[in-house]
């Protein structure tokens, strides 16, 4: 699930953009793309694309533009960061305001950074405490 979004049905839909930093290393993107693939498998009616701040494509504006052109009436941006650092706190709001200006009819929602969700914190703690194989 790199940048390609499935075609949207005629009915306007809520789409998801998994937004992360980006890297020149294509292996770095694998976990983000795995999340997108899981969403696509579990929610085939919900278009999902990955987008990157830098060093990878598509950018957030490119991803949102693509989804809007395909008929998305709303886009949920999910910051795939462990915390609300500079990218989530400073860079993302600027990008979102630009997108709202470019697409005033589209409902844009930004979730908190995934790493700040208590479910993720609990899962990371569980993984950290697993005993090594015997």
């Amino acid at each position: 699930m790199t940048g390609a979004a499935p075609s949207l049905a005629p009915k306007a839909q809520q789409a998801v953009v998994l937004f992360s930093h980006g890297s020149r290393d294509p292996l770095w993107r694998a976990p983000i793309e795995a999340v997108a693939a899981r969403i696509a498998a579990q929610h085939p009616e919900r278009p999902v694309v990955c987008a990157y701040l830098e060093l990878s494509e598509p950018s957030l504006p490119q991803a949102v533009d693509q989804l809007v052109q395909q008929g998305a009436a709303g886009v949920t941006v999910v910051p795939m960061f462990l915390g609300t650092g500079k990218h989530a706190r400073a860079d993302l709001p600027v990008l979102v305001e630009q997108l709202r200006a470019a697409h005033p009819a589209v409902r844009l929602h930004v979730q908190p950074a995934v790493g700040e969700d208590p479910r993720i914190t609990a899962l990371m703690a569980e993984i950290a405490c697993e005993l090594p194989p015997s």
Side-chain angles (χ1 to χ4, degrees), residues 4-12 47 49 64-72:
S7 295
L8 298 179
K11 179 182 170 191
V49 295
V64 171
D65 289 349
Q66 176 183 352
L67 291 166
V68 169
Q69 287 174 7
Q70 293 176 349

Side-chain angles (χ1 to χ4, degrees), residues 12 19 30 32 35 44 51 62 66-67 94 97 99 105 109 111-112 117 124 130:
F19 179 66
I32 307 300
V35 173
Q62 289 169 331
Q66 176 183 352
L67 291 166
V94 171
E97 284 310 309
L99 288 168
H109 170 71
Q111 291 184 347
D117 186 306
M124 288 189 296
E130 286 180 356

